[in-house]
Amino acid sequence: FQNRDLFGEVVDKLDSIGVRVIAYLAAESPAMLQQGEEKAYDYNSNSPFVDSCELCPALTYNAVPFCACAPSVWQWKKWVQDNYGSASDDTLKVAFGEVIVSEFAERYKDKLAGFWIDQGNVANVKIITEVIKLQIAEAVVTFNVGQRLPLHNNNPPFEDYTFGYPYYDMMNVPASDCHNFEAILG
């Protein structure tokens, strides 16, 4: 898959049949600012494609024992440090907006209707909104900050719509349950 743009292929196909796409992006990635690097796919060599034991010592300057790091997280932090002069959480949030979100907005600007940014509580909402609107002026944007109900705009003036989650117990409560009524009305 290294030479394929899988997201682009899906967006192109949907666009060809008249379906507009709202892109989902997780704001914590790739720095794992919300869940921590232990939850990264390649932490402690959990991925068959990444050998953390080989990569971690050099990436962490031997500060992390054994294989207990996520090379993807440390490579991103190193890139941000090299290009922004800092790898603080605030700088990682800025880089996420200016580099990753900007790439999606620019590359798919003619085919995206908007963005749904998850983990908005660890995002630089202002920068993300600015880079999206620069490329796609009509794009709708929302940030999930964990607010379930009641529904309301969590980031005025940066958020164009809000969303609702169904009742949290999806395994035991059907979507038509009265617990979801407020989300439906919202």
Side-chain angles (χ1 to χ4, degrees):
F1 298 113
Q2 290 179 336
N3 296 321
R4 291 181 67 184
D5 177 1
L6 297 176
F7 183 80
E9 290 175 27
V10 171
V11 171
D12 287 344
K13 185 65 173 175
L14 291 170
D15 185 63
S16 75
I17 59 172
V19 176
R20 298 287 298 188
V21 174
I22 293 178
Y24 167 93
L25 295 175
E28 75 163 350
S29 297
M32 299 299 287
L33 291 175
Q34 182 168 310
Q35 297 182 43
E37 86 175 278
E38 297 81 15
K39 298 288 185 182
Y41 75 95
D42 59 346
Y43 180 79
N44 202 21
S45 294
N46 285 335
S47 168
F49 307 106
V50 179
D51 183 356
S52 298
C53 296
E54 178 185 328
L55 298 172
C56 288
L59 288 170
T60 67
Y61 305 100
N62 294 313
V64 174
F66 310 110
C67 311
C69 92
S72 60
V73 171
W74 284 84
Q75 287 167 338
W76 171 247
K77 287 180 177 181
K78 182 179 180 341
W79 187 92
V80 172
Q81 175 70 43
D82 291 348
N83 288 275
Y84 283 78
S86 170
S88 70
D89 285 359
D90 286 342
T91 307
L92 291 166
K93 292 173 188 180
V94 169
F96 175 78
E98 291 180 349
V99 178
I100 295 173
V101 176
S102 181
E103 170 75 18
F104 273 83
E106 184 176 335
R107 184 181 293 197
Y108 308 110
K109 64 182 163 191
D110 297 329
K111 298 183 178 151
L112 289 180
F115 287 80
W116 194 96
I117 308 294
D118 203 358
Q119 296 129 4
N121 54 315
V122 294
N124 187 315
V125 171
K126 183 178 185 293
I127 287 177
I128 290 174
T129 303
E130 287 172 355
V131 300
I132 290 170
K133 299 290 187 171
L134 180 67
Q135 296 296 327
I136 315 168
E138 300 83 26
V140 293
V141 180
T142 194
F143 296 87
N144 173 23
V145 296
Q147 173 74 32
R148 299 235 190 262
L149 298 172
L151 297 177
H152 67 276
N153 186 327
N154 293 295
N155 297 288
F158 304 109
E159 195 166 59
D160 297 305
Y161 70 103
T162 191
F163 55 90
Y165 276 112
Y167 186 65
Y168 64 89
D169 190 0
M170 296 292 290
M171 298 299 289
N172 299 310
V173 178
S176 60
D177 189 273
C178 65
H179 286 94
N180 294 319
F181 190 65
E182 194 172 350
I184 293 167
L185 291 178

